[in-house]
Amino acid sequence: MNWEDVLLIPGPVNVAYDVLLESAKPVINHRSKSFHKLYEELVSNIRTLLGTSNEVLLFTASGTGAVEALAANFGPGRKALVPATGEFSSRFAEALRIYGAEVSVVEAEPGSAPSLDVVLRQMDEFKPDLVAMVYNDTSPGVRLSYIDKLCREAKSRGILTLVDAVSAVGGDELEIDKWGIDALAGASQKCLSAPPGISFAVLSKDAISSLRSGKTFYFDITRYLEYSRRSETPFTPAVTLLSSLNSALANIIEFGVNRWVRLHIERALPLYRAFEKLGFEPFVKEEYRSRTVLSFKTPAAVSPQKLRERLAEAYNIQIAGGLGKLRDSIIRIGVMGRIPLRELVALICAMGLEVKELGLPANIEGALYELRNLEKVYG
Ligand SMILES: Cc1ncc(COP(=O)(O)O)c(C=O)c1O
């Protein structure tokens, strides 16, 4: 029997049937009025989601594509400061280097971010042209909690702000205009509950006037801007995936954007407490803890890899291990998008039982009790 997996990994997430079915509709011409309508709806829905009227560009590529587009169009010949938050800040730094930026990384301990003071000090010494940040670094589950202040400080010094918000868009507070985010990268398959394959960039006027074109062909933002004026993309887009993303966004807007974001935040906090009651220690200190990817050290006798295998084999629940050096030392639980409460209840019970099976204490009832108020948030 092919039992459907419950995806509690840091993306992709399970997608609702109405959203999946949009992709089953006939393929449309990407140079037609029907496509223009879809494109305009998507741009409008992304603007509503993010509360901005900034330029929105759509890429047929996973999140890395949008991040690479930022690196390729803003990095060349510039000095870039990158606060280290984990694997994804390393990737951002690497992409910037590949496209000819001089990069200075503000180092931090694994599972943490450098303090704002340290970042500002290095900013004033290095005098970058841009700061490239990962709002929510999915690899250790680190949230750059002072991102609003850092963006404001950067803008007040005339520095461009680039943000990889791939695992935060829709799942955490995000005020593009108020904070002063010049270029943001987002993707379809995480907190927006759409299938993977689409990513997007959101650009301010300052960003558009600072473009350096000609270093990439597929991701040349200048070309995308030209085509966006006629509600098209330069190259053949994944029209079916765009339809699904549009329907996922419409669902979020109907649910209420603020309510959707609150759901993520108010779901994550009690879950940290619940897993602590099962014996799992949060990997990241409270100040920088992600609201969409929860990472934990397992009790000493519990192997992260074996736990993941047991959850997958016995319960069809998929959670993740660490990335890179953290591969076998932590577990990561993605709590993104549309997760029925029953799946969280099942996860807690299954993890608690696995811990108990090894003769260790796990307060399953206490952990479940932490979720008691979520019913109200889910509505
Ligand atoms: C913060 C962050 N940036 C970038 C990416 C890359 O996205 P993708 O795997 O869709 O290319 C991810 C994916 O997990 C991510 O979490």
Side-chain angles (χ1 to χ4, degrees):
M1 182 65 75
N2 183 19
W3 302 109
E4 191 184 320
D5 278 340
V6 173
L7 298 184
L8 294 173
I9 55 175
V13 302
N14 290 115
V15 178
Y17 283 109
D18 61 333
V19 173
L20 287 172
L21 284 173
E22 283 300 314
S23 286
K25 291 186 177 165
V27 172
I28 58 171
N29 174 1
H30 62 297
R31 308 284 181 220
S32 69
K33 285 201 180 119
S34 308
F35 183 78
H36 297 160
K37 183 169 171 286
L38 171 63
Y39 187 98
E40 283 153 22
E41 273 179 34
L42 267 162
V43 169
S44 160
N45 284 340
I46 291 174
R47 285 184 173 145
T48 303
L49 175 86
L50 296 174
T52 182
S53 54
N54 282 0
E55 198 74 47
V56 173
L57 300 176
L58 296 161
F59 304 111
T60 291
S62 72
T64 308
V67 176
E68 175 148 3
L70 302 192
N73 288 272
F74 296 104
R78 290 208 168 103
K79 290 172 78 173
L81 189 75
V82 181
T85 41
E87 172 68 19
F88 289 101
S89 69
S90 301
R91 292 187 190 182
F92 209 167
E94 192 182 343
L96 282 158
R97 274 191 205 104
I98 286 173
Y99 286 102
E102 183 192 342
V103 177
S104 170
V105 174
V106 192
E107 299 293 348
E109 291 292 307
S112 188
S115 73
L116 177 61
D117 283 350
V118 170
V119 178
L120 293 180
R121 216 173 308 133
Q122 200 158 321
M123 185 186 270
D124 288 334
E125 278 164 21
F126 182 61
K127 302 200 182 334
D129 304 295
L130 62 90
V131 188
M133 300 154 258
V134 180
Y135 183 6
N136 185 74
D137 202 309
T138 320
S139 64
V142 165
R143 172 178 188 265
L144 199 61
S145 49
Y146 51 72
I147 190 169
D148 52 338
K149 297 190 190 84
L150 177 53
C151 287
R152 283 200 199 101
E153 291 282 351
K155 290 299 288 175
S156 73
R157 292 161 169 83
I159 296 169
L160 276 177
T161 55
L162 272 48
V163 176
D164 168 350
V166 166
S167 59
V169 162
D172 207 340
E173 294 144 353
L174 189 52
E175 304 223 32
I176 290 188
D177 298 339
K178 207 164 139 200
W179 299 355
I181 297 178
D182 288 313
L184 174 133
S188 54
Q189 79 275 22
K190 298 188 191 266
C191 307
L192 304 182
S193 285
I198 301 294
S199 56
F200 50 88
V202 184
L203 305 174
S204 72
K205 288 200 177 75
D206 283 355
I208 291 170
S209 61
S210 313
L211 283 166
R212 301 236 155 125
S213 60
K215 297 292 177 205
T216 165
F217 188 76
Y218 188 72
F219 290 115
D220 187 348
I221 286 181
T222 307
R223 193 189 288 255
Y224 278 81
L225 283 169
E226 272 166 38
Y227 276 78
S228 79
R229 283 185 208 110
R230 54 184 120 120
S231 302
E232 290 181 11
T233 56
F235 314 110
T236 314
V239 286
T240 50
L241 293 178
L242 287 174
S243 295
S244 278
L245 175 59
N246 196 33
S247 128
L249 289 167
N251 285 349
I252 294 172
I253 291 166
E254 194 195 331
F255 184 82
V257 172
N258 287 337
R259 209 176 142 208
W260 184 252
V261 171
R262 298 282 351 142
L263 170 66
H264 283 79
I265 298 171
E266 289 175 26
R267 185 167 64 185
L269 302 180
L271 277 172
Y272 277 110
R273 293 196 297 272
F275 290 113
E276 280 184 271
K277 291 203 162 136
L278 302 180
F280 295 84
E281 188 193 333
F283 177 61
V284 176
K285 65 176 173 195
E286 205 162 349
E287 193 183 350
Y288 298 121
R289 255 175 229 168
S290 165
R291 282 106 179 247
T292 60
V293 186
L294 283 46
S295 60
F296 297 93
K297 292 184 215 158
T298 57
V302 179
S303 142
Q305 198 189 338
K306 285 208 183 102
L307 176 65
R308 283 192 289 126
E309 281 167 13
R310 277 288 302 157
L311 291 176
E313 281 159 20
Y315 304 96
N316 291 97
I317 296 176
Q318 298 278 343
I319 64 166
L323 270 186
K325 287 188 196 124
L326 297 172
R327 180 164 210 88
D328 295 321
S329 52
I330 59 169
I331 53 164
R332 294 180 304 148
I333 300 167
V335 272
M336 301 168 157
R338 189 184 159 279
I339 306 169
L341 202 42
R342 62 175 180 270
E343 291 178 359
L344 297 176
V345 169
L347 175 71
I348 286 176
C349 292
M351 281 181 45
L353 286 174
E354 290 306 311
V355 171
K356 285 199 152 184
E357 195 72 8
L358 293 165
L360 299 169
N363 179 358
I364 299 177
E365 192 182 337
L368 289 173
Y369 205 61
E370 289 294 343
L371 303 194
R372 68 196 179 282
N373 287 325
L374 279 189
E375 188 190 326
K376 292 190 204 109
V377 186
Y378 268 72

